[in-house]
Amino acid sequence: MKSLKSLLPFTLFCLSLLMINDSIAQSSKSNGAQTFEKYIDANQDAHLKEFLELISIPSISSIPANKPDVQRAAVWIVNKLKSIGISNAQVIPTAGQPAVFGSWENAPGKPTVLIYAHYDVQPVKESEWIIPPFAPQIKDGKIFGRGASDDKSGVMMSIWAVEAMLKTNGKLPVNVKFIFEGEEEAGSPNFKNMAMANKALLKADFGLNADGGQYDENTPEILMSLRGTAAMEFSIKTADIDAHSGQFGGKTLNSALIMSQIISSLYTKEGNVAVAGFYDKVIPPTAKEKAMMQKVPYNKEEDRKILGSTAETGDTTYSALERIWYRPTLEIIGMQSGYTAAEGHSNIIPGNAMARITCRLVNNQDPAEIQDLIVKHVNSHLPTGATASFKFTRGKGGASPMKFPSDTKEYKYVSDVLEKVYGRQPIQVGTGGSIGSLISVKDILGIYMYSMGLEQSDEKWHASNEFFKVSSVRKGQILYCNYFEHLAEEEGKLKK
Amino acid sequence: MKSLKSLLPFTLFCLSLLMINDSIAQSSKSNGAQTFEKYIDANQDAHLKEFLELISIPSISSIPANKPDVQRAAVWIVNKLKSIGISNAQVIPTAGQPAVFGSWENAPGKPTVLIYAHYDVQPVKESEWIIPPFAPQIKDGKIFGRGASDDKSGVMMSIWAVEAMLKTNGKLPVNVKFIFEGEEEAGSPNFKNMAMANKALLKADFGLNADGGQYDENTPEILMSLRGTAAMEFSIKTADIDAHSGQFGGKTLNSALIMSQIISSLYTKEGNVAVAGFYDKVIPPTAKEKAMMQKVPYNKEEDRKILGSTAETGDTTYSALERIWYRPTLEIIGMQSGYTAAEGHSNIIPGNAMARITCRLVNNQDPAEIQDLIVKHVNSHLPTGATASFKFTRGKGGASPMKFPSDTKEYKYVSDVLEKVYGRQPIQVGTGGSIGSLISVKDILGIYMYSMGLEQSDEKWHASNEFFKVSSVRKGQILYCNYFEHLAEEEGKLKK
């Protein structure tokens, strides 16, 4: 999951870094004997070293050849948990990639927090990286490597926070459970079943999603909505074999051209999705959500700098934030046809073309229903002589959209801690991203997992040269330690 | 070069095979003591063995990593030529891949024939092959392997014909020169310079292009026109990096979509090319050419069977033959964007997309001019925020279209021999393919290279599972031997 945040220019960035560290130090000190802070500072080098070790494991969940690596990463995390005193740490097998569980439950009568993160990562296009993506390096205050930000940062920040408290106080103020997923980047196809089968083990009073972000280094955020997701692949076939472009050029269908025409047909001139029925279940944002968007200091110029893009797209009768948070999308995430190796040249009319689609969904849109609409659209746009086939490699369906309430004590505790650590109130944001497992947790365990993570929107999640800011390593631990303390204190008051 | 031919059903194919062999045997026998025929029959196994050896060398001219293989294939051919008594056989270096030259010039006062073929091959998509493409095998009367038909068959048929005559008679009735190109499949970028620099060495009275075909196993053909060619690659860039599809989906341009829209814009609804000026230099077929097309027993259903395609394309106000022979084309031969590895799934909005184009050109169309028109079209169809870049990996320009006259004695000799060997007059055909080197030979050496080859249109040139028919191995040699004899006889008469 990633939320939308603006990127501050570098100078402001450095300045704010100093201010924030200052504000954390002050706020922490004001809270009595914060010995965990000393531990965190004293162990930063050792932590960075083990962080690089975890990032170096290519735990790409969607590539079968990497299955042993995903397994290895899971075992690495189990060993780390055991080393800090989580003696029951274990790998939980699923039909796909394993999850990792561990808990510290020696605070009887205190609330239990379940922390979610994922240790699997996206594939890489190695040639585009400035360093090998699984040989992480620290440069200019940034930890480069696949998964550094999304979401091995979430795994490690939360573990280190527990480590800091256990090593300094020998105990935690609340009970803590970890559930680290191994296939979030593959669409969480087995999380729901795993959670159902381990309902008792995962039972908790509160939930936190460590795969979350900060709006910027000065500004905390609370995530109020996630889009859902549906993915699929389709192929267009025009011939059994590729044709010689001289022998057949002028009289046989070209699958690359037909694919291009079908992709073009998926959109209106205004940049909306042209698939019939696609928007049927979309509900406009509520007054509250509109007000929330108004308060977000969104700067589209800063935003574009992250990608180096110079224009926005989509139907501009909706604001950029509304398009990202409350409007669904259909994106071509990959397409291939003919001979495309970097070297060589093959004069053929391709008989086959392939494209992959990801939709981000909102409100009541149903992933399986949307997939069906797309299949129908493609089939109805095929010219005579072309056929289409469809693959749902991650299963039919996908993740449903999700919203979080802001009138709960769970919300308030997260907000309080963010305000304390950052020195200012969090802003409410939506996100265009999806985390299917958060919905499963709500459905099965009945708890909302508010996001509490340190990722920032310029950190190139899913893209080449992903990184995580060194400055966030400390802040993440401080944040979680403060949350545990605040939760114990507030819930303690309620019991009295 | 490949000409257009129909594919006969398999039963007819088998029947005709027997008939043809019969007719060759008869026509040859009637020509006095054809001892070369016995040699050809006695050596078929040995020849097939060495044919497989040559095919097994992956001489892919357009892939730099295969440069040593191309070199190895050239040396292999030089050694073969030496082994049959062509003592001056040699590799001729060029700025790219080498050519192979060899000559037998011990028939003073007799005409000299220059035979062209190419020993380089197209790239392969190995996963689509029923055998490894460079581990050739004979199955069901077919020699499978990359280059078996296009054009290692041309190289070997002509060498074996000379071998058969030299081994049986100790001499040839005419002087013969071979020029085998090593980069026809890369657009012959250095052939012209090589021919200029070796004008004296290549000097000849007659020319034959061994990269030619039969209409079907019963029907000989003479090639009257070739289309020209122009190739290029272009990339669309919308961002410096790929974007997270949740974080940015709805507000940033998708390069795969824009590429699809631009590709779609290259065509009209009728299936013509929409690039302004593209058809400006196209002249309709002459009355003679129209009459020629009428005589070709073209069967579009048979033709489609080769590809397994079920519909034709293009502007059907032109006949299929006219579209292939006298109308230019623009084909997308490859396109790629985003994450497309067979395994894995990457939820990104691609910042880059790439497509490759090959045009087949006619009449006075100039390859460089056509490339400029396409660049202009793409640039004028870019939306704000997208940029395009262009690559002319095979150099700016390409091969020009070419026509062959039918009122020359050179034409008559080829026609005579085809009629004798096949037992029927050749039909005149055009081709949609291109061979840039034939134009260079005409321009520099002043001779037309009429095509005399055994390739058939179902042999999957450039595609996966290319093959050459075993039955053509014998016929090709007989054809060349008869041509040498006929040429000596006819030219001898003229001298008297």
Side-chain angles (χ1 to χ4, degrees):
Chain A
M1 182 292 304
K2 304 297 126 22
S3 63
L4 180 150
K5 296 145 252 177
S6 73
L7 176 67
L8 293 172
F10 188 70
T11 45
L12 200 62
F13 161 96
C14 296
L15 193 65
S16 65
L17 194 60
L18 296 168
M19 289 163 62
I20 285 292
N21 280 341
D22 230 40
S23 112
I24 293 170
Q26 280 168 15
S27 59
S28 314
K29 272 168 200 157
S30 67
N31 196 27
Q34 297 296 9
T35 51
F36 59 76
E37 266 192 45
K38 283 179 198 157
Y39 180 87
I40 288 165
D41 292 334
N43 286 277
Q44 179 161 0
D45 287 351
H47 286 162
L48 283 179
K49 203 179 152 199
E50 66 186 29
F51 193 27
L52 297 187
E53 207 176 290
L54 177 60
I55 298 168
S56 74
I57 305 174
S59 48
I60 306 170
S61 51
S62 64
I63 300 185
N66 290 88
K67 202 174 166 73
D69 300 309
V70 180
Q71 179 75 30
R72 193 151 53 91
V75 170
W76 188 96
I77 297 166
V78 165
N79 289 336
K80 170 66 191 172
L81 288 173
K82 283 185 175 164
S83 79
I84 66 164
I86 309 288
S87 58
N88 70 340
Q90 59 190 280
V91 163
I92 301 182
T94 75
Q97 309 287 5
V100 170
F101 175 81
S103 67
W104 187 93
E105 299 175 63
N106 303 318
K110 300 284 178 168
T112 300
V113 189
L114 177 65
I115 300 171
Y116 167 90
H118 66 90
Y119 67 90
D120 65 316
V121 300
Q122 285 273 324
V124 291
K125 285 196 248 176
E126 193 140 359
S127 62
E128 295 179 358
W129 283 71
I130 54 167
I131 57 149
F134 297 106
Q137 285 177 33
I138 301 175
K139 284 172 189 260
D140 306 325
K142 297 169 179 177
I143 304 153
F144 285 95
R146 169 57 87 224
S149 182
D150 182 15
D151 177 38
K152 287 177 176 173
S153 74
V155 172
M156 295 314 295
M157 302 305 107
S158 57
I159 293 178
W160 288 326
V162 168
E163 173 184 340
M165 288 193 136
L166 288 180
K167 295 285 179 184
T168 51
N169 301 331
K171 61 177 185 177
L172 301 175
V174 291
N175 300 297
V176 173
K177 292 180 175 180
F178 294 108
I179 185 70
F180 297 136
E181 188 180 2
E183 46 189 11
E184 195 271 344
E185 299 293 8
S188 306
N190 300 291
F191 189 90
K192 192 175 180 177
N193 284 347
M194 185 280 297
M196 292 280 277
N198 294 280
K199 205 172 157 176
L201 195 69
L202 300 178
K203 191 177 181 309
D205 308 299
F206 293 87
L208 285 178
N209 163 34
D211 187 14
Q214 341 171 47
Y215 192 80
D216 60 44
E217 291 205 78
N218 282 323
T219 318
E221 69 181 22
I222 298 189
L223 186 61
M224 306 310 291
S225 69
L226 290 130
R227 290 194 288 194
T229 185
M232 58 190 288
E233 179 179 312
F234 72 103
S235 297
I236 302 295
K237 183 182 169 181
T238 52
D240 293 338
I241 57 169
D242 294 334
H244 185 287
S245 75
Q247 186 188 6
F248 290 98
K251 67 177 174 183
T252 199
L253 300 174
N254 183 319
S255 66
L257 171 58
I258 292 169
M259 176 58 88
S260 296
Q261 289 168 333
I262 287 181
I263 289 174
S264 300
S265 80
L266 292 167
Y267 298 86
T268 66
K269 275 184 191 167
E270 293 73 32
N272 281 318
V273 178
V275 174
F278 188 79
Y279 293 102
D280 281 5
K281 296 193 173 168
V282 176
I283 301 160
T286 62
K288 207 170 167 183
E289 286 164 338
K290 280 181 186 162
M292 173 184 133
M293 284 189 278
Q294 289 295 331
K295 286 183 194 155
V296 174
Y298 176 64
N299 179 337
K300 71 179 176 186
E301 294 309 322
E302 294 295 338
D303 183 52
R304 283 186 205 159
K305 275 188 201 163
I306 295 170
L307 298 182
S309 65
T310 58
E312 63 182 319
T313 192
D315 187 341
T316 47
T317 56
Y318 301 92
S319 72
L321 289 189
E322 182 166 354
R323 269 177 278 153
I324 292 288
W325 295 349
Y326 301 114
R327 298 281 299 168
T329 61
L330 185 160
E331 295 285 354
I332 304 302
I333 59 171
M335 81 182 174
Q336 204 283 331
S337 184
Y339 184 84
T340 52
E343 292 182 336
H345 180 89
S346 195
N347 266 345
I348 45 93
I349 302 173
N352 274 282
M354 180 278 283
R356 290 185 185 146
I357 286 173
T358 282
C359 293
R360 300 287 179 167
L361 309 175
V362 298
N363 304 131
N364 304 309
Q365 286 186 301
D366 173 51
E369 205 174 302
I370 292 294
Q371 286 169 331
D372 287 341
L373 293 177
I374 296 169
V375 168
K376 206 173 154 189
H377 178 99
V378 171
N379 281 329
S380 72
H381 281 75
L382 285 173
T384 309
T387 55
S389 58
F390 303 87
K391 260 209 262 186
F392 303 94
T393 41
R394 307 159 87 196
K396 190 77 190 290
S400 295
M402 189 178 183
K403 292 195 179 189
F404 293 82
S406 61
D407 54 0
T408 58
K409 65 175 181 180
E410 289 91 332
Y411 175 90
K412 195 175 177 303
Y413 296 158
V414 171
S415 176
D416 289 346
V417 170
L418 287 169
E419 187 175 352
K420 180 181 166 197
V421 172
Y422 283 82
R424 62 196 286 187
Q425 271 205 326
I427 56 171
Q428 294 185 334
V429 298
T431 175
S434 321
I435 313 180
S437 40
L438 301 194
I439 299 145
S440 302
V441 169
K442 177 70 185 74
D443 289 349
I444 298 161
L445 304 172
I447 54 175
Y448 280 109
M449 291 201 130
Y450 287 90
S451 294
M452 192 184 268
L454 277 290
E455 300 169 37
Q456 274 183 259
S457 60
D458 61 342
E459 291 176 345
K460 301 185 181 174
W461 315 315
H462 295 202
S464 301
N465 303 310
E466 179 181 351
F467 65 89
F468 188 65
K469 298 201 183 75
V470 173
S471 58
S472 301
V473 172
R474 184 180 196 277
K475 205 200 286 183
Q477 298 171 67
I478 301 286
L479 200 57
Y480 272 86
C481 289
N482 272 286
Y483 177 83
F484 299 145
E485 287 189 336
H486 185 66
L487 186 62
E489 198 174 330
E490 293 300 305
E491 287 288 295
K493 283 182 202 162
L494 290 177
K495 283 202 168 175
K496 278 169 196 168
Chain B
M1 185 287 306
K2 304 296 128 21
S3 64
L4 180 148
K5 297 144 251 179
S6 72
L7 175 69
L8 292 172
F10 187 70
T11 46
L12 201 61
F13 161 97
C14 297
L15 192 64
S16 65
L17 192 59
L18 296 168
M19 290 164 63
I20 285 293
N21 280 343
D22 230 36
S23 111
I24 292 171
Q26 278 167 17
S27 60
S28 313
K29 271 167 202 158
S30 66
N31 196 27
Q34 297 294 13
T35 51
F36 58 76
E37 268 192 45
K38 284 180 197 154
Y39 181 88
I40 288 167
D41 291 334
N43 286 275
Q44 179 161 2
D45 287 353
H47 285 162
L48 284 178
K49 201 179 153 198
E50 65 187 29
F51 193 27
L52 298 187
E53 206 175 293
L54 177 59
I55 299 168
S56 74
I57 304 174
S59 48
I60 307 170
S61 51
S62 63
I63 300 185
N66 290 89
K67 202 174 168 72
D69 299 309
V70 180
Q71 179 75 30
R72 193 150 54 90
V75 170
W76 188 97
I77 297 166
V78 165
N79 289 336
K80 170 65 189 171
L81 288 173
K82 284 186 175 166
S83 78
I84 66 164
I86 309 288
S87 56
N88 70 340
Q90 62 191 277
V91 163
I92 301 183
T94 75
Q97 309 288 5
V100 170
F101 175 81
S103 67
W104 187 94
E105 298 175 65
N106 302 318
K110 301 284 180 170
T112 299
V113 189
L114 177 65
I115 299 171
Y116 168 89
H118 66 89
Y119 67 89
D120 64 314
V121 300
Q122 285 275 325
V124 292
K125 284 195 249 174
E126 194 140 358
S127 62
E128 295 179 359
W129 284 70
I130 55 169
I131 57 150
F134 297 107
Q137 284 177 34
I138 301 176
K139 284 172 190 260
D140 307 324
K142 295 169 180 177
I143 304 152
F144 284 94
R146 168 58 84 224
S149 183
D150 182 16
D151 176 39
K152 286 176 176 174
S153 74
V155 172
M156 296 313 295
M157 302 305 109
S158 56
I159 293 178
W160 287 327
V162 168
E163 173 184 340
M165 289 194 135
L166 288 179
K167 295 285 178 183
T168 52
N169 300 331
K171 61 178 182 177
L172 301 175
V174 291
N175 300 296
V176 172
K177 292 181 176 181
F178 294 108
I179 185 70
F180 297 136
E181 189 181 0
E183 45 188 14
E184 195 272 343
E185 300 293 8
S188 305
N190 300 291
F191 188 88
K192 193 175 181 178
N193 283 346
M194 185 279 297
M196 292 281 275
N198 294 280
K199 206 172 157 176
L201 195 70
L202 300 177
K203 192 179 181 310
D205 306 302
F206 294 86
L208 286 177
N209 164 33
D211 187 13
Q214 341 171 47
Y215 192 81
D216 59 45
E217 290 205 80
N218 283 321
T219 316
E221 69 181 20
I222 298 189
L223 186 61
M224 306 309 292
S225 68
L226 292 128
R227 289 195 289 194
T229 184
M232 58 192 286
E233 179 178 313
F234 71 102
S235 297
I236 302 294
K237 183 181 169 181
T238 51
D240 293 338
I241 58 168
D242 294 334
H244 185 287
S245 75
Q247 185 188 7
F248 290 98
K251 66 176 175 181
T252 199
L253 299 175
N254 182 321
S255 66
L257 171 60
I258 291 168
M259 176 59 87
S260 297
Q261 289 168 333
I262 286 181
I263 289 173
S264 300
S265 80
L266 291 167
Y267 298 87
T268 65
K269 274 184 192 168
E270 293 73 32
N272 282 317
V273 178
V275 174
F278 188 78
Y279 293 102
D280 282 2
K281 296 192 175 170
V282 177
I283 302 159
T286 62
K288 208 171 166 181
E289 286 166 339
K290 279 182 187 160
M292 174 184 133
M293 284 190 279
Q294 289 294 332
K295 287 184 194 154
V296 174
Y298 176 64
N299 179 335
K300 72 180 178 187
E301 293 309 322
E302 293 295 338
D303 182 54
R304 283 186 206 160
K305 275 188 198 161
I306 294 170
L307 298 183
S309 64
T310 59
E312 62 183 319
T313 191
D315 187 342
T316 48
T317 57
Y318 302 93
S319 73
L321 289 189
E322 182 169 351
R323 268 176 278 153
I324 292 290
W325 296 349
Y326 302 114
R327 298 280 299 168
T329 60
L330 185 160
E331 295 285 354
I332 303 303
I333 59 172
M335 79 181 177
Q336 204 282 332
S337 184
Y339 184 84
T340 53
E343 291 181 335
H345 180 91
S346 194
N347 266 345
I348 46 91
I349 302 173
N352 275 281
M354 181 278 283
R356 290 184 185 145
I357 286 174
T358 282
C359 293
R360 299 288 179 168
L361 308 176
V362 298
N363 304 129
N364 305 309
Q365 286 186 302
D366 174 51
E369 204 173 302
I370 293 294
Q371 287 168 330
D372 286 341
L373 293 177
I374 296 169
V375 168
K376 206 172 152 187
H377 178 100
V378 171
N379 281 330
S380 72
H381 281 75
L382 286 173
T384 309
T387 55
S389 58
F390 303 86
K391 259 208 262 185
F392 303 95
T393 41
R394 308 160 87 196
K396 190 77 190 289
S400 295
M402 190 179 184
K403 291 195 179 189
F404 292 83
S406 63
D407 55 0
T408 59
K409 65 175 182 180
E410 289 91 332
Y411 174 90
K412 194 173 178 306
Y413 296 157
V414 172
S415 175
D416 290 346
V417 170
L418 288 170
E419 187 175 353
K420 182 183 164 195
V421 172
Y422 282 82
R424 63 195 287 189
Q425 273 205 324
I427 56 171
Q428 295 185 333
V429 298
T431 176
S434 322
I435 314 182
S437 40
L438 302 193
I439 299 145
S440 301
V441 169
K442 178 68 185 76
D443 290 348
I444 297 161
L445 304 172
I447 54 174
Y448 281 108
M449 291 200 130
Y450 287 91
S451 294
M452 193 182 267
L454 277 291
E455 301 169 35
Q456 275 184 255
S457 60
D458 61 341
E459 292 177 347
K460 301 186 180 171
W461 315 314
H462 294 202
S464 299
N465 302 311
E466 178 181 351
F467 65 88
F468 187 64
K469 297 201 183 77
V470 173
S471 58
S472 301
V473 172
R474 184 181 195 277
K475 205 200 285 182
Q477 298 172 68
I478 300 287
L479 200 58
Y480 273 86
C481 289
N482 274 284
Y483 177 84
F484 298 146
E485 286 188 337
H486 186 68
L487 187 61
E489 200 175 326
E490 293 298 306
E491 286 288 293
K493 282 182 203 165
L494 291 178
K495 282 205 169 174
K496 278 169 195 169

